[in-house]
Amino acid sequence: MRKPFIAGNWKMNTTLSEARELTQDLVEHMASVELCDLAVCVPFVYLFAVGEIVKGTKIVLGAQNLHWEEKGAFTGEVSAAMLKDFGTDLVIIGHSERRHIMGESDEMIGKKLRRALDAGLRPILCLGELLEEREAGTTEEVLRRQLEEDFKNIKGEDMASVTIAYEPVWAIGTGRTATPGQAAEAHEFIRHLLAGMYNSAIAQDTRIQYGGSVKPENAYDLFKEEEIDGFLVGGASLSAEDFSKIVEEALRARDL
Ligand code: 13P
């Protein structure tokens, strides 16, 4: 069975003191959680402070982006080696806000994925369709393109370190969650694609998180779907109480 994996994505939020307080609260709330992997993906500038607090706890430290080159003249960018230096274990790659606001292409995302893996970082690769793509019936086409292009240079043996997050863009920060059925259908399709790109064992073992307006109120129903292995939580991860309720509800849905 794939172990549940729930990660928070703070995006560009919190001050340093809020980041510290939120992390302390999370550590306290999560102390007794055993059967779920947990992570927080925080802004670069808070990696050090948050890393100090989560050290030795079950909460894994993650970043939200990296550059694909090893080092050099890339003003304002952060390398994989720098992230490793801060004790970062995970990195979100290809978030829809980076694809659609910052203009990242599948080619860039593919290079970032390769760099992260080469540096020993575990990527959470995000993909998902826009509202107009869903309405036009092209969701599967979009997921196929993203997956095939992003994973072009990723081998089967790399996949044990990779998590995929299905995040339909229309559900992010909108309060409009995908129905459990819609999410499960997309996850199943992603798994079907992975089986073709790699093999069925890899498709079965790869963890696929759902992200998009996950809250304590919908976590149970979503997690009832076997295809959903975890969540990537945005807004609700800024409250330790909400985040821990999401974890609780998810584990309750699986009788864990
Ligand atoms: P929300 O949970 O705020 O909708 O954000 C989801 C997300 O983008 C996580 O990466």
Side-chain angles (χ1 to χ4, degrees), residues 9 11 95 167 171-173 212-214 232-235:
N9 171 12
K11 309 193 179 185
H95 193 278
E167 299 207 309
I172 297 178
S213 299
V214 176
L232 187 55
V233 185

Side-chain angles (χ1 to χ4, degrees), residues 7-11 92 95-97 124 126 165 167-177 209-215 231-238 246:
N9 171 12
W10 292 3
K11 309 193 179 185
I92 295 176
H95 193 278
S96 72
E97 286 143 22
I124 298 179
C126 303
E167 299 207 309
V169 182
W170 47 271
I172 297 178
T174 56
R176 185 177 163 188
T177 324
Q209 297 174 323
Y210 166 78
S213 299
V214 176
K215 300 182 208 63
F231 295 130
L232 187 55
V233 185
S237 74
L238 296 170
I246 288 170

Side-chain angles (χ1 to χ4, degrees), residues 27-75:
V27 168
E28 280 162 33
H29 276 86
M30 298 298 161
S32 58
V33 177
E34 294 290 344
L35 300 167
C36 181
D37 288 337
L38 299 166
V40 278
C41 298
V42 308
F44 290 138
V45 289
Y46 302 145
L47 282 171
F48 184 76
V50 172
E52 291 287 295
I53 300 169
V54 299
K55 211 176 275 171
T57 74
K58 355 186 118 70
I59 301 172
V60 166
L61 183 66
Q64 300 173 11
N65 186 27
L66 83 172
H67 195 268
W68 60 83
E69 290 293 345
E70 201 175 343
K71 62 178 175 181
F74 301 100
T75 303

Side-chain angles (χ1 to χ4, degrees), residues 54-194:
V54 299
K55 211 176 275 171
T57 74
K58 355 186 118 70
I59 301 172
V60 166
L61 183 66
Q64 300 173 11
N65 186 27
L66 83 172
H67 195 268
W68 60 83
E69 290 293 345
E70 201 175 343
K71 62 178 175 181
F74 301 100
T75 303
E77 293 292 331
V78 172
S79 74
M82 292 170 188
L83 295 180
K84 287 294 286 182
D85 248 3
F86 278 78
T88 311
D89 183 43
L90 286 168
V91 60
I92 295 176
I93 297 177
H95 193 278
S96 72
E97 286 143 22
R98 299 219 52 94
R99 291 178 189 262
H100 300 295
I101 304 174
M102 309 308 288
E104 285 188 12
S105 64
D106 284 304
E107 193 194 344
M108 291 175 190
I109 291 161
K111 288 197 283 189
K112 290 182 177 202
L113 205 46
R114 187 65 264 159
R115 174 62 60 199
L117 288 162
D118 287 344
L121 287 163
R122 294 188 296 138
I124 298 179
L125 190 279
C126 303
L127 39 73
E129 78 288 358
L130 297 163
L131 182 59
E132 52 268 37
E133 292 166 336
R134 174 157 286 264
E135 284 174 346
T138 57
T139 298
E140 293 195 347
E141 202 178 296
V142 172
L143 297 179
R144 180 189 292 276
R145 190 201 68 230
Q146 292 176 332
L147 207 65
E148 288 181 353
E149 292 188 15
D150 299 351
F151 285 80
K152 212 183 277 172
N153 296 310
I154 305 308
K155 300 180 198 70
E157 67 245 39
D158 295 316
M159 289 303 290
S161 307
V162 175
T163 299
I164 293 175
Y166 168 62
E167 299 207 309
V169 182
W170 47 271
I172 297 178
T174 56
R176 185 177 163 188
T177 324
T179 64
Q182 283 172 322
E185 191 181 19
H187 285 212
E188 215 174 304
F189 181 67
I190 292 168
R191 230 177 269 292
H192 159 78
L193 292 175
L194 289 174

